[in-house]
């Protein structure tokens, strides 16, 4: 039998998967630059460590839970593709090899869990975080990915549009971040003590890598190298540019200065918001979504000071709020001319789609919020979720990982006296 | 012998150093320090949150000299470090009881 393999599509999906993988270190740098120098390594490690755990879970049974045969709209059959051995054989009828899709989706799962880490910078036990990430992936991410993207999933069947993860990735991670920030509590000294970002160039490198990788995330979600992927690609960059400008405009008016952290944050806010909507709006619609996301996220990051929760790196303000903006505005700005072929409120489609979008968005929000809080409370009671206060104040990098990020400054092992201890150690080794 | 301690703006270090080269000093020590005087600090904004940074980076220069050359050297430092703007720094002079050169064990003015 002649193979149906489409090499162009396969090449694009594999490339897109690698681009999404690059978002994981990109996210680590984006977050890592925003923390203080004494905890940069711990932030990088939380993002990378979560990826290790989730990738293995995905191969064992996560893919089956998300994309296995539907059970009542809630979950895929977890044992169906256990270990993925059954997916290795070359299927001549598949235009895209199963393993390409499995790998592409694995990166989404790994990245989504890492997003949550930004809420609990500087203070979480590394082991407790990895346990949380694994359990949250199993109980929340895998089922929600099934609801949203798998045939038979209840949100999918409802007709909710979430092209690349406004609900499954960003609202999901943002709600979990809110729960975790509340359960774990504020950092010592927050909000009185200044906690300035220690490396804004690293933040911008991270934002740049995220922007690049996001073309794999969004355009790759077309699962084909075609017109739909190309429309998505264009909407993805133009919404991002609009959100970056909008965030800077808010800062200039409110604070008097357009900042580089604002630009980097605007990039991410725009990318988050266009993620669900990139297949269903026009380029002008994408610009509108970018502007709304840039303005609302720039305002939302201030809420934590009023409400008193220490979402350290604004996962709620950027991912939860940005995800809601994109998911809900589909109901307003969707146009039949776009690949998804649905009309929203402004294009004469009525409020029907908007209602569906709201149901999908808030169902995921509350499910993730509640389950994440329960998981975190259990871990907190069982083994503790926070490092000791003296470790948090002196720096989590040195205490938990026995490293310091920089051989300069006062972050721990660095500075003028760093060589003294090393010399003593070397002598012992020589003796 | 006197110890001259000067706190100056970091970008003025090179000017002070080259001005002192013709003055017959025997050596100097430089360190990066932070503090505040009348200049106070400045304000930074991150995602809308304002942080007041009240310690300003400065450079501290320390020189030990014979009693006779104190005034000349202080004048040299002051004129080289001066910009006329707030935050130019301070120079003070304190007595030194004793000084030893580590390599030879020489003491007093010989050790300078």
């Amino acid at each position: 039998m002649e193979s149906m393999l489409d090499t162009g599509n396969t090449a694009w999906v594999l490339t897109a998967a690698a681009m999404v993988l690059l978002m994981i270190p990109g996210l680590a740098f984006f977050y890592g630059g925003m923390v203080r120098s004494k905890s940069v390594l711990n932030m990088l490690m939380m993002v990378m460590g979560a990826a290790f755990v989730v990738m293995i879970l995905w191969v064992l049974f996560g893919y089956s839970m998300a994309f296995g045969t539907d059970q009542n709209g809630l979950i895929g059959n977890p044992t169906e593709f256990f270990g993925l051995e059954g997916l290795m054989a070359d299927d001549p009828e598949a235009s895209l090899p199963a393993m390409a899709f499995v790998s592409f989706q694995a990166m989404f799962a790994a990245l989504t869990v890492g997003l949550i880490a930004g809420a609990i910078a500087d203070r979480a036990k590394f082991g407790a975080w990895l346990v949380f990430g694994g359990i949250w992936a199993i109980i929340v991410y895998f089922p929600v990915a099934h609801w949203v993207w798998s045939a038979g999933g209840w949100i999918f069947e409802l007709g909710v549009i979430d092209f690349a993860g406004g609900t499954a990735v960003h609202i999901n991670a943002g709600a979990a971040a809110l729960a975790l920030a509340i359960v774990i509590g504020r950092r010592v000294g927050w909000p009185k003590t200044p906690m300035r970002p220690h490396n804004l160039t690293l933040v911008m490198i991270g934002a740049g890598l995220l922007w690049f990788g996001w073309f794999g995330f969004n355009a790759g979600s077309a699962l084909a190298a075609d017109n739909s992927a190309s429309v998505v690609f264009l909407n993805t960059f133009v919404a991002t540019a609009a959100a970056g400008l909008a965030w800077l405009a808010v800062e200039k008016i409110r604070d008097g200065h357009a900042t580089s952290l604002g630009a980097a944050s605007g990039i991410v806010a725009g990318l988050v918001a266009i993620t669900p909507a990139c297949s269903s709006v026009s380029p002008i619609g994408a610009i509108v979504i970018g502007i709304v996301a840039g303005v609302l996220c720039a305002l939302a990051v201030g809420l934590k000071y009023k409400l008193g929760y220490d979402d350290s790196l604004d996962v709620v303000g950027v991912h939860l709020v940005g995800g809601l903006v994109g998911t809900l505005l589909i109901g307003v700005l969707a146009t039949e001319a776009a690949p998804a072929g649905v009309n929203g409120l402004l294009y004469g489609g009525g409020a029907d789609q908007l209602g569906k979008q709201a149901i999908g968005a808030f169902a995921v929000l509350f499910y993730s919020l509640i389950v994440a809080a329960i998981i975190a409370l259990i871990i907190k009671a069982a083994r503790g979720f926070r490092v000791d206060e003296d470790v948090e104040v002196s720096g989590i990098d040195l205490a938990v990982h026995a490293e310091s990020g920089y051989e300069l400054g006062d972050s721990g092992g660095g500075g003028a006296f760093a060589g003294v201890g090393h010399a003593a150690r070397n002598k012992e080794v020589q003796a | 012998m006197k110890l001259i301690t000067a706190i100056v703006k970091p970008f003025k270090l090179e000017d002070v150093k080259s001005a002192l080269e013709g003055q017959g000093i025997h050596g100097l020590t430089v360190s990066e320090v932070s503090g505040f005087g009348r200049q106070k600090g400045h304000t930074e904004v991150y995602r809308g949150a304002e942080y007041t940074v009240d310690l300003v980076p400065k450079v501290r220069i320390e020189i030990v000299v014979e009693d006779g050359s104190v005034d000349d050297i202080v004048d040299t430092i002051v004129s080289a470090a001066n910009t006329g703007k707030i935050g130019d720094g301070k120079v003070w002079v304190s007595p030194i009881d004793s000084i030893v050169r580590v390599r030879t064990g020489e003491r007093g003015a010989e050790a300078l």
Side-chain angles (χ1 to χ4, degrees), chain B residues 74-86:
Chain B
V74 168
D75 290 345
T76 305
I77 294 173
V78 169
S79 66
N82 184 283
T83 68
K85 297 207 179 84
I86 196 164

Side-chain angles (χ1 to χ4, degrees), chain B residues 22-39:
Chain B
Q23 295 279 320
I25 60 163
H26 304 282
L28 57 77
T29 304
V30 175
S31 30
E32 291 180 36
V33 295
S34 38
F36 69 87
R38 288 189 197 171
Q39 186 186 1

Side-chain angles (χ1 to χ4, degrees), chain A residues 261-277:
Chain A
L261 180 59
S265 309
I267 287 170
V268 176
L271 287 165
V272 167
I274 198 61
T275 291

Side-chain angles (χ1 to χ4, degrees), chain A residues 11-104:
Chain A
W12 168 233
V13 170
L14 289 172
T15 304
M19 289 169 72
V20 179
L21 176 63
L22 189 61
M23 293 169 69
I24 295 172
L27 178 73
F29 296 155
F30 178 69
Y31 280 173
M34 270 190 272
V35 300
R36 292 167 291 174
S37 58
K38 63 185 178 183
S39 45
V40 55
L41 297 177
N42 176 251
M43 181 45 70
L44 304 183
M45 290 284 281
M46 283 204 284
V47 174
M48 302 310 252
F52 299 158
V53 171
V54 176
M55 284 180 190
I56 289 172
L57 293 176
W58 184 256
V59 168
L60 292 179
F61 53 80
Y63 173 72
S64 300
M65 287 180 71
F67 292 100
T69 306
D70 176 65
Q71 316 285 318
N72 305 317
L74 296 176
I75 188 92
N77 176 2
T79 57
E80 187 169 358
F81 305 109
F82 188 87
L84 304 180
E85 214 172 319
L87 294 180
M88 285 197 295
D90 191 2
D91 176 2
E93 289 179 35
S95 69
L96 181 71
M99 287 298 201
F101 179 70
V102 175
S103 303
F104 180 66

Side-chain angles (χ1 to χ4, degrees), chain A residues 66-319:
Chain A
F67 292 100
T69 306
D70 176 65
Q71 316 285 318
N72 305 317
L74 296 176
I75 188 92
N77 176 2
T79 57
E80 187 169 358
F81 305 109
F82 188 87
L84 304 180
E85 214 172 319
L87 294 180
M88 285 197 295
D90 191 2
D91 176 2
E93 289 179 35
S95 69
L96 181 71
M99 287 298 201
F101 179 70
V102 175
S103 303
F104 180 66
Q105 286 292 337
M107 304 311 168
F108 278 59
L111 177 74
T112 304
V113 178
L115 289 172
I116 303 169
I120 54 167
D122 306 348
R123 60 195 188 280
K125 285 185 176 171
F126 187 57
W129 159 249
L130 294 185
V131 170
F132 174 87
I135 297 176
W136 185 83
I138 295 167
I139 308 183
V140 181
Y141 182 81
F142 301 156
V144 169
H146 180 80
W147 299 355
V148 174
W149 285 322
S150 182
W154 75 269
I155 292 179
F156 181 87
E157 296 298 334
L158 187 65
V160 175
I161 298 173
D162 181 4
F163 190 71
T167 56
V169 173
H170 297 289
I171 292 176
N172 207 359
L178 178 59
L180 211 48
I182 292 169
V183 171
I184 291 189
R186 306 165 173 193
R187 285 171 289 178
V188 175
W190 189 89
K192 289 265 159 58
T193 309
M195 295 177 180
R196 288 184 291 162
H198 88 285
N199 189 339
L200 290 171
T201 50
L202 193 62
V203 172
M204 194 60 94
I205 289 171
L209 288 175
L210 284 169
W211 198 353
F212 173 78
W214 223 292
F215 291 108
F217 199 89
N218 283 3
S221 289
L223 299 177
D226 62 2
N227 181 64
S228 171
S230 308
V231 172
V232 163
F233 193 107
L234 185 131
N235 282 344
T236 297
F237 78 72
V238 79
T240 308
L245 268 185
W247 191 303
L248 293 182
V250 169
E251 286 191 334
K252 181 68 188 166
I253 294 164
R254 183 186 58 190
D255 313 321
H257 304 276
T259 70
S260 74
L261 180 59
S265 309
I267 287 170
V268 176
L271 287 165
V272 167
I274 198 61
T275 291
C278 52
S279 72
S280 52
V281 297
S282 68
I284 299 292
I287 292 173
V288 173
I289 286 177
I291 292 171
V292 174
V295 170
L296 287 185
C297 292
L299 297 174
V301 295
L303 278 178
K304 63 181 180 184
Y305 298 106
K306 294 202 172 68
L307 301 176
Y309 61 91
D310 181 10
D311 168 19
S312 312
L313 311 182
D314 300 307
V315 186
V316 178
V318 175
H319 293 272

